[in-house]
Amino acid sequence: MSNGLTTARREGTLQGGPLSPLLSNILLDELDKELERRGHKFCRYADDCNVYVQSRRAGERVLKALMIFLERRLRLKVNAEKSAVARPWDRKFLGYSVTSQRESRLKVAPGPVQRLKEKLREIFRRGRGRNLGKLIEEELTPLLRGWMNYFRLAEVKGIFEELDSWIRRKLRNLIWRKWKRPLTRM
């Protein structure tokens, strides 16, 4: 979109489409082989990649080497702002993070929780004056079911309990606003 008008795309692929991950896997297959050749433990999905090493110094060395490899060999631009050397629990990968305890467990990163709450707030704003059953059935259930299915691998379940209580409170607020008479509210 440019100034409210649609224009033809000149480069790139549709974000979220099936072609993007396929093309990135074809292009970055050489990166996977290079990381395996060097003996690194890594996780990559499309263009998002985490490489795990023992120390910060090793991480900085590997990051520098990978940036050189990607820019010179594969002729790709690396976003230096998104690239970092950090502990695994300080970073997120595909919306997940890990705990910092001795035995790491998978958890939902804070960013996706905030985005979900923003979407839910918008739904609740639109839901004022509407049938609560239809609001839950048509808008809340599909959104929450999709979100829960995506993050079902999370081992830390506390965030789901917090979200449940937050959503219930918002639904109670909608009901409370519909009750106009003091006797009903009592």
Side-chain angles (χ1 to χ4, degrees):
M1 297 284 286
S2 177
N3 297 326
L5 302 171
T6 57
T7 57
R9 204 175 358 264
R10 292 188 183 91
E11 62 181 36
T13 59
L14 183 65
Q15 186 174 355
L19 190 57
S20 296
L22 176 67
L23 290 175
S24 65
N25 283 338
I26 291 168
L27 185 63
L28 295 174
D29 183 55
E30 201 171 329
L31 173 67
D32 294 345
K33 290 177 182 172
E34 180 67 18
L35 288 169
E36 287 172 357
R37 187 184 66 77
R38 293 180 183 190
H40 292 304
K41 295 190 183 325
F42 68 97
C43 185
R44 185 181 68 78
Y45 179 80
D47 65 341
D48 201 0
C49 183
N50 284 357
V51 180
Y52 303 99
V53 293
Q54 292 292 322
S55 67
R56 181 169 199 73
R57 204 163 115 198
E60 289 169 357
R61 187 189 72 233
V62 168
L63 177 64
K64 185 178 177 184
L66 286 178
M67 289 178 88
I68 291 169
F69 177 81
L70 289 168
E71 288 172 354
R72 290 186 184 162
R73 185 103 175 255
L74 299 180
R75 296 185 180 135
L76 296 172
K77 281 189 219 173
V78 177
N79 188 342
E81 292 175 8
K82 291 184 179 179
S83 303
V85 175
R87 300 273 186 188
W89 48 85
D90 294 335
R91 304 290 293 168
K92 65 180 179 73
F93 184 69
L94 302 176
Y96 286 96
S97 185
V98 293
T99 60
S100 60
Q101 283 100 23
R102 183 159 175 79
E103 190 171 321
S104 296
R105 295 181 356 187
L106 207 56
K107 67 177 185 176
V108 180
V113 175
Q114 286 305 113
R115 285 193 297 276
L116 175 67
K117 282 186 174 183
E118 288 170 13
K119 285 181 187 175
L120 290 171
R121 279 188 190 103
E122 182 59 36
I123 290 171
F124 291 136
R125 266 188 227 112
R126 287 193 318 256
R128 293 179 185 163
R130 288 181 50 200
N131 183 328
L132 193 60
K134 284 187 178 181
L135 175 78
I136 292 170
E137 184 182 329
E138 294 172 1
E139 293 192 49
L140 284 183
T141 301
L143 176 66
L144 292 174
R145 185 174 288 140
W147 198 84
M148 292 293 294
N149 283 335
Y150 182 82
F151 289 108
R152 72 178 174 264
L153 298 175
E155 298 168 300
V156 179
K157 302 294 184 189
I159 191 64
F160 299 114
E161 293 169 1
E162 290 172 23
L163 274 172
D164 182 54
S165 66
W166 185 83
I167 291 168
R168 288 173 186 270
R169 191 180 85 238
K170 292 292 186 182
L171 289 171
R172 281 193 303 272
N173 286 344
L174 284 177
I175 293 170
W176 183 256
R177 283 192 190 108
K178 283 185 178 183
W179 291 346
K180 301 293 184 193
R181 295 174 17 196
L183 285 176
T184 309
R185 287 187 171 184
M186 272 190 355

